[in-house]
Amino acid sequence: MAEISIERLQVEHVATLQQRYEQAVTQAGYDALLISSGAAPLRYGDDHSYVFQGYGPFVHWTGLPELEHSWLLIRPGHRPVLWVYTPEDFWHATPALPQAPWTDLLDVQGMRSRSVPDLSDCGRVAVLGDPACLVGVAADPNPAALLGGVEAARVHKTPYELHCLEVASARAARGHQAAAHTFLAGGSEFDISLAYQQATAQRAAEAPYHSIIGLNEHAGILHYQYYASERPPEGRSLLIDAGYRYRGYGSDITRTYAAPGQDLFQALIDGLEAIQRRVCAAVAPGVDFVALHDTTHRALATLLRALGLVTGLTEEAIVTRGITRVFFPHGLGHLLGVQVHDVAGKPRKAPDHAPFLRLTRPLETGMVVTIEPGVYFIPSLLEPLLAGALGKHINRPMLDELRPCGGIRIEDNLVVTAAGSDNLTRRYLS
Ligand code: GLY
Ligand code: MN
Ligand code: MN
């Protein structure tokens, strides 16, 4: 990673966005596009607001997810204008106007009050953003045709974005290494979260999403949201799904660890890891992501049979009769960018057998995707399986041994390249 070239890459990125967005504006029949940064609403009946992260298209241009009440105006044939809300406020730190080479491509202005830019000379204007922030804006709010064009402009990452996503993976890797160390040293979920934040030097509020840090059964709660401050008497397993946000771009990485002595769970981790690596190796332009998701289910069926957790059924039956979905209920992955679940992944609806899949399109060069197979022991999904006609095919003693370990997910971030893919995560984390 050549740190020295990042400013130049960012200038090229903004110039590319100007072309892409201007084309989207023109194609949708508008003369101008105003983009709102968004703003955190106050909690009801309170004078504190929710944690804020800016609106995707605004962050796509500026890389500044912390700016609120700010605006960007794009007009084909004109320099874009960025209005940054910089109030007088002795309660809070206020943002400085961005100063970097990319800002030379725009007119950057400070705004002392929360106001809406004057659009009277701009012709037919569309505005994109959180509807709560668009009150009083004289423009068409969130027109579908333009929104589609703007989201399409985020699918193929520029060299600058790829650089940012690689840095995001590299920094998160440091946190994952610290987390594994703290787990093996006997730390609680809370201790692990502190170790992760310390190693990444990023506050939880700045991270791309709430880090998922679950010990034992908590590893089987897909988006477990708490951190127990006490280590359970026996720490059997850790699942950590955590990223790092760099210039607006997030990594999304998961690792799962077994404590010494958890040999069966470790064997399952090893088996899933082998699947995950094979699926990563299959990532290439033209690959249909739904088909890749289905391939992963077949590989998981083979693993469950080989370990003896599922018996008396063919691999095909294990998939078609829905058993792999009990153990792996979520999708194989999604697009990644300034949003963790980045936009435009689902031009067609997910198929009925994969309702939670967030990416249903063939892979193309320049996309960045996650590959994140899992195996979980989720009581609400297991109980109907065990109680039904297929229950006799589940090895109960083996399941009982695995259940207290919660589950496994292994997640990397990959760039789709002309030659196949580039795994941004494995370069920094095994
Ligand atoms: N961290 C959420 C996900 O993996 O999609
Ligand atoms: Mn994740
Ligand atoms: Mn993910």
Side-chain angles (χ1 to χ4, degrees):
M1 279 184 291
E3 200 64 41
I4 43 171
S5 66
I6 191 160
E7 306 287 8
R8 179 178 56 77
L9 288 177
Q10 192 175 18
V11 168
E12 290 167 6
H13 167 74
V14 170
T16 300
L17 295 201
Q18 188 164 357
Q19 284 173 6
R20 291 184 187 174
Y21 280 62
E22 286 190 2
Q23 190 179 10
V25 170
T26 306
Q27 277 177 357
Y30 287 95
D31 300 312
L33 166 63
L34 184 67
I35 299 173
S36 163
S37 65
L42 291 180
R43 297 196 295 244
Y44 179 67
D46 198 350
D47 60 358
H48 280 68
S49 58
Y50 293 98
V51 173
F52 178 72
Q53 296 204 348
Y55 177 51
F58 188 87
V59 180
H60 195 206
W61 274 78
T62 63
L64 298 168
E66 68 279 6
L67 292 185
E68 297 183 72
H69 302 288
S70 299
W71 304 92
L72 175 69
L73 181 67
I74 297 150
R75 291 171 76 190
H78 295 74
R79 276 162 74 83
V81 186
L82 175 65
W83 288 275
V84 178
Y85 177 53
T86 53
E88 295 282 2
D89 180 354
F90 52 79
W91 295 102
H92 303 101
T94 53
L97 291 184
Q99 280 188 325
W102 69 273
T103 60
D104 292 345
L105 300 184
L106 288 75
D107 287 334
V108 180
Q109 302 180 15
M111 235 176 26
R112 287 282 181 218
S113 63
R114 294 179 189 178
S115 49
V116 175
D118 178 6
L119 303 172
S120 50
D121 292 332
C122 295
R124 187 159 179 249
V125 188
V127 61
L128 297 182
D130 178 348
C133 298
L134 306 188
V135 177
V137 180
D140 286 355
N142 296 316
L146 181 49
L147 191 56
V150 162
E151 291 189 345
R154 287 166 59 185
V155 171
H156 303 98
K157 270 52 185 183
T158 63
Y160 169 75
E161 294 180 287
L162 296 178
H163 176 86
C164 291
L165 286 160
E166 179 168 354
V167 174
S169 253
R171 301 264 170 95
R174 294 182 197 161
H176 278 268
Q177 282 152 357
H181 181 79
T182 305
F183 167 62
L184 292 172
S188 66
E189 292 168 354
F190 185 68
D191 295 330
I192 295 166
S193 80
L194 293 182
Y196 186 88
Q197 287 184 66
Q198 176 144 34
T200 55
Q202 184 158 77
R203 291 185 305 139
E206 293 167 314
Y209 56 94
H210 182 77
S211 301
I212 300 162
I213 298 172
L215 293 178
N216 300 348
E217 288 85 351
H218 294 163
I221 301 171
L222 297 181
H223 286 175
Y224 174 65
Q225 69 273 48
Y226 304 119
Y227 302 137
S229 55
E230 295 290 321
R231 169 91 166 192
E234 190 189 7
R236 295 177 286 268
S237 58
L238 166 67
L239 184 153
I240 172 164
D241 180 343
Y244 180 89
R245 196 162 203 187
Y246 179 69
R247 293 173 168 245
Y249 291 83
S251 49
D252 178 11
I253 298 170
T254 309
R255 289 293 182 266
T256 308
Y257 303 97
Q262 296 293 335
D263 297 342
L264 180 59
F265 189 64
Q266 184 63 58
L268 192 56
I269 293 176
D270 294 343
L272 191 72
E273 165 109 12
I275 291 174
Q276 198 264 1
R277 285 179 182 266
R278 281 208 307 277
V279 175
C280 287
V283 167
V287 169
D288 185 281
F289 206 74
V290 177
L292 202 56
H293 174 90
D294 294 343
T295 302
T296 309
H297 273 264
R298 286 195 294 280
L300 182 57
T302 305
L303 174 63
L304 297 179
R305 237 173 72 104
L307 283 177
L309 183 58
V310 182
T311 59
L313 290 171
T314 63
E315 270 102 10
E316 194 193 345
I318 293 171
V319 175
T320 56
R321 300 184 74 179
I323 295 177
T324 51
R325 278 180 62 189
V326 168
F327 291 101
F328 173 31
H330 60 75
L332 176 63
H334 48 83
L335 295 174
L336 186 67
V338 292
Q339 285 166 236
V340 174
H341 298 153
D342 215 11
V343 293
K346 274 169 77 164
R348 60 188 161 103
K349 170 176 164 300
D352 289 345
H353 69 273
F356 302 115
L357 189 56
R358 292 188 168 95
L359 178 54
T360 61
R361 54 193 286 176
L363 298 177
E364 294 166 18
T365 304
M367 289 178 170
V368 177
V369 297
T370 67
I371 295 293
E372 49 180 303
V375 186
Y376 311 89
F377 309 105
I378 302 172
S380 63
L381 300 181
L382 279 173
E383 297 318 334
L385 173 68
L386 296 174
L390 294 171
K392 62 178 185 287
H393 296 290
I394 307 300
N395 178 334
R396 307 293 173 107
M398 189 176 269
L399 182 62
D400 289 344
E401 189 178 338
L402 289 167
R403 282 177 86 144
C405 293
I408 305 167
R409 180 161 62 254
I410 301 170
E411 177 175 24
D412 291 341
N413 306 164
L414 285 79
V415 185
V416 184
T417 64
S421 73
D422 187 5
N423 190 322
L424 299 179
T425 306
R426 294 275 174 184
R427 199 171 291 164
Y428 303 97
L429 186 67
S430 58

